[in-house]
Amino acid sequence: MPQTTTDTDDSILLALFRDEDTREAAYTALVKKYQQKLYWHIRRMVVEHEDTNDILQLVFIKMWRNLEDFRGDANLYTWLYRIATNETITWLGKEKKRRALPLDTDEGLLSEKLEAQEGFDAKKLEWKLQQAIQSLPEKQRVVFSLRYYDEMPYNEMAEILNTSEGALKASYHHAVKKVESFIKES
Amino acid sequence: MEREQDILKELKKLNSPLAVFPRTMPYIVPDAYFDNLPTLVARYVLADTPLTKDMPLAVPDGYFDALPQQLLQAVKNDEAPAKEESKNRSVWLNARWAAAAMLIIFIGLGSYRILTPETLTIQQQLEEIPEAAILAYVQDNIDEFDTEYIVNNLDNANTIQTQAENLNDETIEYYLENSGWQ
């Protein structure tokens, strides 16, 4: 079976990107390849589609501007996840500032947005799970999302979040327990 | 698939019910969003970034040859900025004096109108305003915006004195009545 564009190896796409004649096609192929993974990673953090779209576009614009200088010693997909995570955290910080919320809490900010989502039903397990995730502290939420939804190994998470694997494992286990107790109590 | 098994194994080890929870996302994404995004982003970045590295802006002939010499000359003539600074300082001082003088007229008249008997003329009242009171008022109430305003309005006046002389008693009284000083 012939390989589709989205299956194309990153190193090939990177080589194509470095050539001006094929740059645009390679860029589009990379966006197609990573858009859904990055979209969901961001959306689980910010909840609303419009905000997710803004951040995602910013991530891909950064990819365009910096990809030529990207060195092969890092994994392209962890590099993109790092940009997405940093952009999302920056955006959340600005949002809290805009709403005059303390920087160490998301309380109210995301739960309101979650409840305003189309089809929201607090009785349904998948929505309860999202509520539980939004109740986690910001960094723990990133860790939970990368592990539980993106099924990312700890060593790759460590690369993205610049933290030790041990610390990430502990953070994930804490997050799992908090999510469980949130669901039990609700 | 292997990764999914790892995640589930880990959750089972933690005796977590999350191992059997549905991991589907309940959020709704607009129709065809993922079909359109690559084109949309590509269009944006291509419009924003020129593909060629050639600079479209021209530099005058010999600009870079003459630049070191020009810079050297500017460094040698370092009095020039000092002159400029001194000129600025003089404008600033004039502005401050102008502000002070204007306020002498307005505040002084206001307070003396209240505190002194009716028999005193406006000119007499002005003369008796203590300097310290004027300076204190200027310090507390005048900022750069006021100064700038006053300076701009001094364009047609030769001196502060001539401007003050142009004010007749009627005008000053009218001002005091309407500005709440009286």
Side-chain angles (χ1 to χ4, degrees), chain B residues 14 21 33 35 53 72 78 85 114 126 129 139 156 179:
Chain B
L14 292 168
F21 274 19
Y33 173 72
D35 297 333
K53 284 182 179 171
L72 204 65
D78 59 349
E85 194 188 323
I114 297 160
L126 278 174
I129 301 170
Q139 227 160 20
N156 297 325
S179 60

Side-chain angles (χ1 to χ4, degrees), chain A residues 43-179:
Chain A
R43 185 141 186 204
R44 281 192 285 271
M45 294 289 292
V46 302
V47 178
E48 280 183 351
H49 167 78
E50 293 307 324
D51 298 333
T52 308
N53 180 42
D54 287 347
I55 300 167
L56 186 61
Q57 289 194 24
L58 218 66
V59 172
F60 284 130
I61 289 166
K62 282 205 165 176
M63 177 175 93
W64 170 267
R65 289 182 183 156
N66 300 302
L67 197 58
E68 206 172 7
D69 301 324
F70 173 78
R71 288 171 297 130
D73 54 358
N75 196 327
L76 181 64
Y77 114 104
T78 52
W79 181 69
L80 285 173
Y81 262 90
R82 186 159 59 223
I83 298 174
T85 305
N86 290 342
E87 287 299 327
T88 307
I89 289 172
T90 305
W91 184 90
L92 283 168
K94 282 183 188 164
E95 185 74 350
K96 279 180 232 169
K97 218 171 175 184
R98 202 171 62 80
R99 295 180 177 228
L101 287 170
L103 284 173
D104 58 349
T105 177
D106 289 338
E107 207 178 328
L109 171 69
L110 297 166
S111 56
E112 269 174 36
K113 288 184 176 190
L114 191 64
E115 284 163 26
Q117 290 298 298
E118 196 183 330
F120 176 79
D121 185 347
K123 289 176 197 151
K124 284 190 177 166
L125 195 54
E126 56 264 42
W127 284 108
K128 267 188 193 173
L129 186 54
Q130 292 312 309
Q131 281 184 308
I133 293 167
Q134 300 313 333
S135 74
L136 295 173
E138 199 171 274
K139 296 244 167 75
Q140 224 169 54
R141 202 157 73 237
V142 179
V143 172
F144 185 85
S145 172
L146 289 174
R147 183 76 183 153
Y148 187 73
Y149 287 104
D150 291 316
E151 299 171 347
M152 199 175 278
Y154 286 115
N155 62 330
E156 288 176 4
M157 285 166 70
E159 213 176 295
I160 293 167
L161 300 170
N162 215 14
T163 316
S164 72
E165 288 182 39
L168 288 168
K169 207 177 268 189
S171 175
Y172 177 65
H173 290 184
H174 280 305
V176 167
K177 292 296 163 202
K178 281 187 195 169
V179 168

Side-chain angles (χ1 to χ4, degrees), chain B residues 49-60:
Chain B
T49 319
L51 280 174
T52 164
K53 284 182 179 171
D54 295 339
M55 290 301 291
L57 303 172
V59 178

Side-chain angles (χ1 to χ4, degrees), chain A residues 23-38:
Chain A
R23 176 171 295 175
E24 194 183 329
Y27 177 74
T28 308
L30 283 167
V31 174
K32 277 185 187 166
K33 184 174 179 179
Y34 288 109
Q35 59 176 353
Q36 296 218 24
K37 275 177 185 271
L38 295 177

Side-chain angles (χ1 to χ4, degrees), chain B residues 125-142:
Chain B
Q125 289 174 43
L126 278 174
E127 281 163 18
E128 291 186 25
I129 301 170
E131 200 179 338
I134 298 159
L135 289 174
Y137 183 88
V138 170
Q139 227 160 20
D140 293 344
N141 296 281
I142 296 291

